[in-house]
RNA sequence: CGGGGCGUAGCGCAGUCCGGUUCAGCGCGCACGGUUCGGGACCGUGAGGUCGGCGGUUCAAAUCCGCCCGCCCCGACCA
């Protein structure tokens, strides 16, 4: 492609709207442009990258036995009522009405559609295993789009859905896709970490996230360097700490006028947050439960949900708190709380001589000791993991990092197949619900992740497998001679099947060099008067290394050699 | 949804505090002419603006006040 015949609006300066590297560089390299918050246009170069990633995903999905389909973006809301997910998903869905007055939504995901399809078309155990996937736009009305392509309202996703008639077979389908995912990310030049994750609104029993470690990532990852355990912060299980020995000091009441938060109390009483027992009142179905946790820790509501076995635990309101504790919000404590279940995070075990609310306005208690002053019904792992916490699998300590979630796999069980009637007849003639799995990859987000992991101060350094073109051909100060030589070389390389972006613009050499670095194609070929005089052209890898001078006749061979050495593929 | 920041030419910004002959400005880009020509060249000429929008205060508003819109960042019930 001739640079002069396409649209690559590079930017000399950093756009003020972009904070993270991928966002900044994709804008500067003229690959994407924002329409409005969370919505981007892919310009020719950006689209080529998107397509490269898409092609790799498609190849690996196909060879893992999945079959591509294409489902509508627009979906009837009625389907979401049938699956019972309308309530939880509605707020991220953009809805509208058809002319007939039917409520429609832009699909944020397609479990409902695919399950309805399979319910209608698959009736026998002989037709499974079946895995259907598609690559297409998804729409989610995100509360806060962020970081360019990382979190958009509209994005490109690959979503796959497996159907099996036994747990064992479903497990096998899951493994197959899990392994395909590892190949996909590696082929795209991404280093990923797989972590155990929470299943969230998808439901199901087990799920893994594929995370690209990046400081700009939105998700926290807890990892254990000793045993390799890794999990999303939401999910990371913690080892119970060593209990602290109680003290003999007498319980004492202290006035704390208007001091409601641990932060306020910490400075008022000059005691560290680790000595506070926070008492949070949660609504669990009809009952109210008191949840105790150390003052410096946070309750992980996903864990709490599992511990309480209720759908949506929610913090109790001011009214309920008064009713249960007899005091306003901010002065709750476990001592003397009657007729209510006390659930405590393991962190409470480390508190001896604690501080907690007195269940009376403007009063707190000092020298509180568990067992002596209050009795916990159950200790559980309820805290959001923090650096240095004990690993649940070994004696190691967890580290906390950040990552971009590029893929997510779920074992769904029969949640959707039951709700939407996706059943088959088994060998014995019984009707059984299909066991499902679902598997997503954020294709557009992967583009951002690749840039996060592959850039330097001058610009993007594309892995060859997803680079928009393989070769940047620069004609320096193109007079007639340089121009005609470069034209010839361009035609020759293109005819040989190489993807070449030919910078034929009438701009200065410096601009071409800088733009080439910014755009980040794997190999740069320079044609200029200086080297032409010696009968040579120059090659250089974007990833570094020396400039190589070769005669134009040897150029093709030289390029092929450089491209082959790479771990990437997809060089047709 | 809460908090913070921002909105002036295509892009990056100054001017806003303290209203008025520095108030429509700078750099880059763009167009034309000329000189240059291997890491963002130089000279000259020129085009380009509802100062985010609406309303108000004032003799006078980019500047002060009110409402609204958009964008970016942080946080979303932790007692």
């Amino acid at each position: 492609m001739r640079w002069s015949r396409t649209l690559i609006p590079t930017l000399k300066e950093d756009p003020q709207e972009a904070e993270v590297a991928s966002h900044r560089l994709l804008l500067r390299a003229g690959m994407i442009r924002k329409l409005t918050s969370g919505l981007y246009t892919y310009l020719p170069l950006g689209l080529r990258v998107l397509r490269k990633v898409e092609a790799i995903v498609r190849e690996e999905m196909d060879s893992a036995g999945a079959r591509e389909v294409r489902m509508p973006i627009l979906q009837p809301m009625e389907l979401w009522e049938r699956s019972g997910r309308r309530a939880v998903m509605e707020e991220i869905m953009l809805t509208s009405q058809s002319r007939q007055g039917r409520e429609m939504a832009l699909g944020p995901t397609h479990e409902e559609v695919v399950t309805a399809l399979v319910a209608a078309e698959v009736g026998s155990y002989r037709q499974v295993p079946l895995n259907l996937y598609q690559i297409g736009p998804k729409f989610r009305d995100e509360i806060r789009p962020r970081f360019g392509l990382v979190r958009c309202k509209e994005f490109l996703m690959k979503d796959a859905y497996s159907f099996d008639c036994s747990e064992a077979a479903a497990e096998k389908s899951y493994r197959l896709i899990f392994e395909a995912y590892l190949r996909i990310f590696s082929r795209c030049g991404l280093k990923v970490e797989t972590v155990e994750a929470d299943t969230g609104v998808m439901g199901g029993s087990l799920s893994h996230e594929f995370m690209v470690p990046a400081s700009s990532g939105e998700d926290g990852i807890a990892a254990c360097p000793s045993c390799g355990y890794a999990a999303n912060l939401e999910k990371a299980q913690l080892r119970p700490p060593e209990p602290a020995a109680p003290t003999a000091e007498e319980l004492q009441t202290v006035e704390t006028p208007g001091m409601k938060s641990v932060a306020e109390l910490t400075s008022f009483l000059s005691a560290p947050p680790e000595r506070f027992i926070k008492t949070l009142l949660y609504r669990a179905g009809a009952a109210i439960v008191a949840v105790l946790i150390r003052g410096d820790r946070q309750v992980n509501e996903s864990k709490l949900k599992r511990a309480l076995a209720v759908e949506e635990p929610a913090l109790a309101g001011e009214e309920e708190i008064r009713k249960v504790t007899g005091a306003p919000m901010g002065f709750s404590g476990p001592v003397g709380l009657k007729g209510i279940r006390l659930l405590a995070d393991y962190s409470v075990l480390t508190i001896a001589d604690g501080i907690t609310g007195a269940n009376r306005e403007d009063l707190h208690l000092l020298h509180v000791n568990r067992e002596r002053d209050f009795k916990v019904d159950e200790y559980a792992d309820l805290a959001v993991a923090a650096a240095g916490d004990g690993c649940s699998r070994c004696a190691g300590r967890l580290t906390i990092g950040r990552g971009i979630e590029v893929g997510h796999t779920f074992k769904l069980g029969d949640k959707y197949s039951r709700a939407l009637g996706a059943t088959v007849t088994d060998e014995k003639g019984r009707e059984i619900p299909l066991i499902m799995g679902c598997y997503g990859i954020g294709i557009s987000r992967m583009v951002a992740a690749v840039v996060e992991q592959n850039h330097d101060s001058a610009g993007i350094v594309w892995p060859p497998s997803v680079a928009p073109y393989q070769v940047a051909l620069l004609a320096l100060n193109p007079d007639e001679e340089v121009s005609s030589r470069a034209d010839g070389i361009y035609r020759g390389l293109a005819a040989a099947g190489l993807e070449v972006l030919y910078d034929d613009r009438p701009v200065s050499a410096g601009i071409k060099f800088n733009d080439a670095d910014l755009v980040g194609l794997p190999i740069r070929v320079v044609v200029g008067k200086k080297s032409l005089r010696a009968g040579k052209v120059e090659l250089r890898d974007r990833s570094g290394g020396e400039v190589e001078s070769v005669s134009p006749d040897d150029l093709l061979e030289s390029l092929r050699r450089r491209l082959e050495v790479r771990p990437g593929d997809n060089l047709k």
Side-chain angles (χ1 to χ4, degrees):
Chain A
M1 175 58 58
R2 285 173 181 267
W3 194 302
S4 64
R5 299 285 60 180
T6 182
L7 181 64
I8 308 174
T10 56
L11 265 19
K12 187 162 16 182
E13 290 168 283
D14 283 341
Q16 53 81 247
E17 71 190 53
E19 206 91 331
V20 302
S22 63
H23 190 197
R24 213 179 62 233
L25 292 172
L26 288 167
L27 284 168
R28 281 194 58 203
M31 305 221 173
I32 59 169
R33 281 296 182 267
K34 185 176 69 187
L35 203 215
T36 184
S37 180
L39 300 175
Y40 285 85
T41 296
Y42 291 80
L43 302 185
L45 241 35
L47 180 61
R48 286 186 68 96
V49 177
L50 198 67
R51 290 255 165 90
K52 289 277 174 85
V53 174
E54 200 181 318
I56 290 172
V57 171
R58 184 172 282 118
E59 268 180 46
E60 293 295 339
M61 290 306 291
D62 286 344
S63 70
R67 295 301 157 245
E68 189 170 6
V69 295
R70 187 185 155 127
M71 295 181 259
I73 299 166
L74 213 54
Q75 310 178 0
M77 280 309 282
E78 184 260 329
L79 249 188
W80 293 80
E81 266 149 32
R82 284 213 276 145
S83 74
R85 268 211 300 184
R86 179 172 182 145
V88 279
M89 294 297 273
E90 201 165 28
E91 58 181 15
I92 65 157
M93 295 169 86
L94 193 75
T95 57
S96 136
Q97 294 215 330
S98 70
R99 285 204 218 191
Q100 292 80 351
R102 196 134 88 111
E103 244 190 313
M104 308 292 277
L106 291 175
T109 176
H110 284 72
E111 282 77 19
E112 279 74 3
V113 177
V114 78
T115 309
L117 174 80
V118 168
E121 310 302 334
V122 174
S124 162
Y125 75 95
R126 294 171 188 274
Q127 291 170 279
V128 299
L130 180 67
N131 190 325
L132 298 175
Y133 80 97
Q134 64 171 353
I135 294 174
K138 291 277 181 288
F139 189 93
R140 292 180 191 173
D141 198 3
E142 296 286 349
I143 44 175
R144 176 141 97 91
R146 239 192 271 238
F147 305 149
L149 296 187
V150 173
R151 182 168 294 276
C152 284
K153 293 198 179 212
E154 190 182 306
F155 56 99
L156 193 69
M157 178 167 168
K158 186 284 304 174
D159 47 324
Y161 307 89
S162 66
F163 298 87
D164 286 281
C165 59
S166 73
E167 283 293 345
E171 171 69 30
K172 201 174 154 198
S173 296
Y174 189 88
R175 265 338 292 179
L176 221 49
I177 299 301
F178 189 96
E179 278 151 23
Y181 272 28
L182 295 179
R183 286 195 298 273
I184 287 168
F185 296 123
S186 130
R187 283 183 64 185
C188 291
L190 281 173
K191 293 176 195 65
V192 299
E193 286 173 9
T194 58
V195 307
E196 290 180 18
D198 192 64
T199 50
V201 295
M202 289 298 170
S205 55
L206 177 68
S207 114
H208 288 96
E209 282 172 347
F210 295 74
M211 307 290 267
V212 173
S215 56
S216 60
E218 295 184 291
D219 296 286
I221 307 169
C224 174
S226 337
C227 72
Y229 171 73
N232 190 297
L233 221 43
E234 295 275 286
K235 168 106 179 181
Q237 294 168 338
L238 307 178
R239 171 161 39 92
E242 286 303 308
T247 64
E249 297 217 50
E250 291 285 303
L251 205 57
Q252 183 191 333
T253 306
V254 61
E255 288 198 23
T256 51
M259 302 287 155
K260 294 174 175 231
S261 70
V262 170
E264 288 166 336
L265 287 160
T266 296
S267 57
F268 184 75
L269 298 172
S270 30
E274 296 89 319
R275 282 189 52 204
F276 289 83
I277 303 168
K278 272 197 298 203
T279 306
L280 275 33
L281 297 167
Y282 274 90
R283 213 177 293 136
I288 301 279
V289 177
V291 175
L292 307 182
I293 191 164
R294 214 169 64 195
D296 61 325
R297 306 306 301 258
Q298 301 197 329
V299 169
N300 179 330
E301 291 196 352
S302 313
K303 289 182 179 176
L304 183 62
K305 191 163 128 186
R306 280 188 291 272
L308 294 172
V310 289
E311 237 354 273
E312 281 305 311
L315 283 165
E318 179 79 53
E319 288 285 296
E320 290 160 306
I321 292 172
R322 259 181 204 281
K323 217 160 97 194
V324 173
T325 69
M329 186 185 284
F331 300 96
S332 309
V335 182
L337 263 192
K338 294 274 187 288
I340 171 171
R341 185 169 162 216
L342 282 188
L343 191 60
D345 177 60
Y346 288 142
S347 59
V348 174
L349 290 169
T350 66
I351 304 175
D353 192 8
I355 304 168
T356 188
N359 297 321
R360 283 185 294 161
E361 186 158 12
D362 295 342
L363 293 175
H364 277 78
L365 299 176
L366 305 182
H367 313 307
V368 178
N369 281 292
R370 76 201 137 75
E371 300 305 314
R372 185 189 74 182
D373 303 317
F374 65 94
K375 187 118 178 58
V376 167
D377 291 303
E378 189 188 343
Y379 284 94
D381 174 18
L382 302 172
V384 175
D389 283 346
C391 173
S392 59
R393 307 281 165 91
C394 74
R397 303 215 159 266
L398 299 177
T399 60
I400 304 293
R402 302 191 71 77
I404 299 170
E405 178 191 349
V406 288
H408 204 155
T409 56
F410 300 84
K411 288 186 181 174
L412 293 177
D414 58 8
K415 173 178 171 180
Y416 298 93
S417 50
R418 269 185 197 281
L420 298 165
T423 59
V424 292
T425 310
D426 72 6
E427 309 93 308
K428 302 200 175 92
R430 291 172 304 199
E431 187 178 331
I432 55 164
L434 287 165
I435 311 296
M436 293 175 58
C438 82
Y439 317 90
I441 288 184
I443 299 209
S444 43
R445 177 179 284 182
M446 269 179 76
V447 173
V450 169
V451 177
E452 288 294 333
Q453 244 178 27
N454 300 279
H455 70 271
D456 60 21
S457 59
I460 304 173
V461 185
W462 289 112
S465 57
V466 298
Y469 293 88
Q470 299 307 312
V471 178
L473 174 64
L474 317 195
L476 255 37
N477 300 310
D479 58 9
E480 244 168 68
E481 196 213 344
V482 170
S483 240
S484 77
R485 290 306 296 269
D487 281 6
I489 287 168
Y490 170 58
R491 281 194 299 268
L493 295 180
L498 282 175
E499 298 176 336
V500 182
L501 179 61
Y502 172 28
D503 194 346
D504 60 341
R505 293 174 299 170
V507 298
S508 76
I511 290 176
K512 291 191 180 186
F513 282 125
N514 281 298
D515 275 351
D517 287 347
L518 220 205
V519 164
L521 304 185
I523 302 177
R524 186 186 76 191
V525 175
V526 171
V527 179
K529 229 173 293 185
K530 204 163 86 182
S531 54
L532 235 35
R533 243 179 265 131
K536 304 276 190 186
V537 296
E538 292 157 19
L539 284 90
R540 186 173 194 276
D541 287 351
R542 176 62 180 86
S543 53
E546 295 300 303
V547 171
E548 179 193 1
S549 288
V550 301
S551 102
D553 295 337
D554 301 333
L555 179 60
L556 185 58
E557 195 195 328
S558 210
L559 285 171
R560 286 207 164 122
R561 203 182 55 241
R562 278 170 190 258
L563 290 168
E564 267 163 25
V565 189
R566 296 292 200 338
D569 52 8
N570 198 36
L571 303 177
K572 352 175 217 302

